[in-house]
Amino acid sequence: KRRAILADDMGLGKTATALLAAMQTKCPVHVLAPAGLLINWKREAAMWGIKLAGVHSWAKVPHEIPQPYTLIADEAHYAQAGHASQRGASFLSLADKAQFVFMLTGTPIKNGRPVNLLPLLTASRHTLAANMSEYHLHFCDAKKTPWSNWDTSGAKNLDELHERTRDVIMRRMKSECLDLPPKTRVVRQIEPTKKAQDIYDERFGKLQSQYRQRVEEGEILDGSDALVMLMHLRQAASIAKVDAALELAQEAIEEQ
């Protein structure tokens, strides 16, 4: 497909799938992704021997890209506001000019609202996106309300929407692809070092002192000591366990 929404479950390889598909298009490949994931895309592309023509952040969606090009949009739900946001409008403009568009998202319909899917269908040039008003009425239960002239936050005919978008949305769950054993949890007991114990004591004491001061000043009501105690213990312990967590991570890396 020249335009598709890849909505596979987390961990099923959406990145690799999109890169390998893009490689077959014979067009320069541009990736649009959250800033924190750009390095992951570069590494994954290098692993497959794919040269990316550009890697762009959703925070700074480019207005133009030299044509022709293939566009991969990771976390495509970032554009679910469509033309209502500058980011969504810029994405739709890039998608319209692209030769191929592959959109990756684990949540094609965020918060169960079909209106969030419409921009992705528009980028896909799907027939359902040809008439926005009809889509809003039929799938979003659009109507006037005392607070809005046109409320599209509703949902209806979801089964029909699912069936009619099968031709553009690929969604597979882990249970459909992998014969996974039950998750195994292993509890590792750690003996805190003197440094970790000092950090724990200092953090816990500081949190308790701040809580008591706020109680005395009347900012919060007394009587929630048990819950606050648990929260403070958990936060202090988390900080104190950083070194041990790093050691466990290093063990896991070495076992690969």
Side-chain angles (χ1 to χ4, degrees):
K1 289 184 176 296
R2 285 181 170 268
R3 295 167 182 268
I5 301 169
L6 184 57
D8 285 349
D9 197 6
M10 184 184 299
L12 294 184
K14 290 191 289 293
T15 301
T17 300
L19 284 170
L20 294 173
M23 185 170 60
Q24 304 305 315
T25 67
K26 309 303 181 184
C27 287
V29 180
H30 287 261
V31 172
L32 186 58
L37 298 181
L38 298 183
I39 187 64
N40 294 344
W41 277 94
K42 293 177 182 178
R43 289 172 179 167
E44 190 93 3
M47 185 176 71
W48 292 101
I50 299 172
K51 183 178 180 180
L52 298 177
V55 182
H56 315 280
S57 166
W58 278 109
K60 296 181 180 179
V61 181
H63 296 295
E64 296 284 343
I65 292 177
Q67 299 184 48
Y69 58 88
T70 293
L71 179 64
I72 298 176
D74 190 18
E75 304 292 354
H77 50 267
Y78 273 47
Q80 287 181 338
H83 289 290
S85 71
Q86 182 177 348
R87 179 171 62 189
S90 297
F91 163 71
L92 289 174
S93 177
L94 290 180
D96 185 57
K97 298 170 185 174
Q99 298 296 309
F100 299 84
V101 181
F102 303 131
M103 292 163 278
L104 284 56
T105 173
T107 52
I109 301 183
K110 200 171 182 180
N111 300 321
R113 296 179 175 180
V115 68
N116 292 326
L117 179 62
L118 184 56
L120 305 189
L121 294 178
T122 300
S124 304
R125 294 179 179 169
H126 196 278
T127 55
L128 285 181
N131 189 318
M132 182 184 299
S133 296
E134 183 178 320
Y135 182 93
H136 286 164
L137 288 167
H138 193 66
F139 296 111
C140 306
D141 195 21
K143 55 182 175 294
K144 290 185 177 182
T145 71
W147 308 276
S148 172
N149 288 331
W150 196 241
D151 182 8
T152 59
S153 62
K156 68 177 184 178
N157 301 317
L158 294 182
D159 289 341
E160 179 186 348
L161 180 62
H162 176 70
E163 289 299 322
R164 294 181 64 181
T165 55
R166 281 181 178 274
D167 58 337
V168 71
I169 299 178
M170 177 186 292
R171 181 165 178 80
R172 295 168 296 185
M173 307 303 291
K174 289 179 182 177
S175 58
E176 299 172 319
C177 306
L178 305 171
D179 184 15
L180 296 173
K183 183 181 292 186
T184 302
R185 297 185 183 274
V186 179
V187 178
R188 292 284 295 266
Q189 298 289 340
I190 64 167
E191 192 68 32
T193 62
K194 184 180 184 305
K195 175 186 174 183
Q197 186 66 53
D198 290 343
I199 293 173
Y200 174 89
D201 293 338
E202 179 185 359
R203 185 60 180 170
F204 180 69
K206 185 176 181 180
L207 290 170
Q208 284 284 289
S209 177
Q210 290 174 346
Y211 169 67
R212 291 301 175 196
Q213 183 177 350
R214 294 179 67 189
V215 170
E216 291 174 2
E217 294 175 354
E219 290 187 29
I220 54 178
L221 297 176
D222 200 359
S224 56
D225 290 12
L227 179 59
V228 172
M229 175 75 76
L230 286 173
M231 293 173 59
H232 290 172
L233 287 169
R234 183 176 182 179
Q235 184 176 349
S238 297
I239 296 173
K241 290 187 288 188
V242 169
D243 289 342
L246 290 173
E247 290 179 8
L248 291 174
Q250 187 60 42
E251 286 181 19
I253 292 172
E254 293 173 355
E255 290 174 359
Q256 298 300 315

